Amino acid sequence: MSMQRLGVLKMVGVALGAFAFTFALVPLYRIACEKVFGVRLEKGAVGEERAAALETRGAAAQERWITIEFDGGVNSKLPWAFHPEQTRMRVRPGQQYDTLFYARNNGQRAIVGNAVPSISPARASGYFSKTECFCFTAQTLAAGESRDMPVRFIVAPDLPPEVNTITLSYTFYKNDALTAQLAPGSGAAASRATQ
């Protein structure tokens, strides 16, 4: 028998062995789940216990309420007052909500600012979505101008059950480059230019 023919036979044998092992995995998996881990598997469908648990969890998610806390501040280089209009809100995951933040330029000239948001706890950040936010664009306020700034958000229904409170915090920073482009005393006309 040639070496080439022997190599082909070995490859066929390995392929048949892998094929047989694949079929053996299904019953081995079932035995491991039922005997070792105590999980009962039903053929072709989700088990009744699992279906009931999912149904209960879905109903609980619809009844779930969480608290959103709001916080705001400014960098020391920015002469603005900035804070949330309300500091807490109870929300249901999966529903859309609106809130407002208040900003006032206490400086002597128009200033451009950028808001940087943060979410805590960090594991909640992937479940908190802002659909409308003043943080998406630079904000310009003329000297003495104040403004309510809206935020629209949704908390995902699959937020981990151990998270009951989420804090949305913003810090406003002065945008030196865009502020330098404003002419001194540009007033309210410039305040709308970068929105």
Side-chain angles (χ1 to χ4, degrees):
M1 191 179 274
S2 72
M3 287 297 257
Q4 188 177 18
R5 192 170 227 195
L6 186 61
V8 169
L9 286 175
K10 283 182 181 179
M11 286 179 27
V12 169
V14 168
L16 288 173
F19 186 73
F21 181 71
T22 303
F23 274 102
L25 280 179
V26 174
L28 289 174
Y29 177 76
R30 185 173 305 280
I31 290 167
C33 287
E34 290 177 0
K35 303 289 186 204
V36 178
F37 300 111
V39 178
R40 197 177 95 229
L41 299 175
E42 292 184 16
K43 199 171 190 174
V46 176
E48 290 175 22
E49 295 164 7
R50 175 85 172 126
L54 289 173
E55 190 174 302
T56 303
R57 196 170 97 196
Q62 296 227 342
E63 296 301 317
R64 183 176 183 197
W65 288 90
I66 61 168
T67 301
I68 307 296
E69 295 178 340
F70 303 103
D71 184 37
V74 294
N75 178 275
S76 61
K77 288 177 58 179
L78 185 63
W80 287 11
F82 175 70
H83 59 81
E85 293 283 345
Q86 65 185 82
T87 57
R88 316 186 91 169
M89 179 187 290
R90 281 181 38 95
V91 303
R92 277 195 171 154
Q95 295 182 12
Q96 186 166 273
Y97 293 88
D98 296 308
T99 191
L100 293 171
F101 282 74
Y102 171 84
R104 177 179 170 79
N105 180 354
N106 296 322
Q108 300 299 310
R109 57 176 292 217
I111 300 174
V112 181
N114 288 95
V116 177
S118 66
I119 304 285
S120 64
R123 69 180 176 274
S125 62
Y127 302 92
F128 191 96
S129 298
K130 296 180 293 297
T131 58
E132 180 183 324
C133 183
F134 57 87
C135 62
F136 295 160
T137 59
Q139 301 292 320
T140 305
L141 293 178
E145 181 183 6
S146 61
R147 182 180 312 146
D148 285 328
M149 299 181 178
V151 178
R152 181 169 288 155
F153 64 91
I154 300 172
V155 177
D158 57 344
L159 177 73
E162 67 274 7
V163 178
N164 296 311
T165 302
I166 297 174
T167 302
L168 172 62
S169 181
Y170 290 96
T171 302
F172 251 108
Y173 293 89
K174 182 178 179 185
N175 186 320
D176 291 320
L178 291 178
T179 299
Q181 293 176 12
L182 298 175
S186 58
S191 73
R192 307 292 177 220
T194 58
Q195 292 185 7

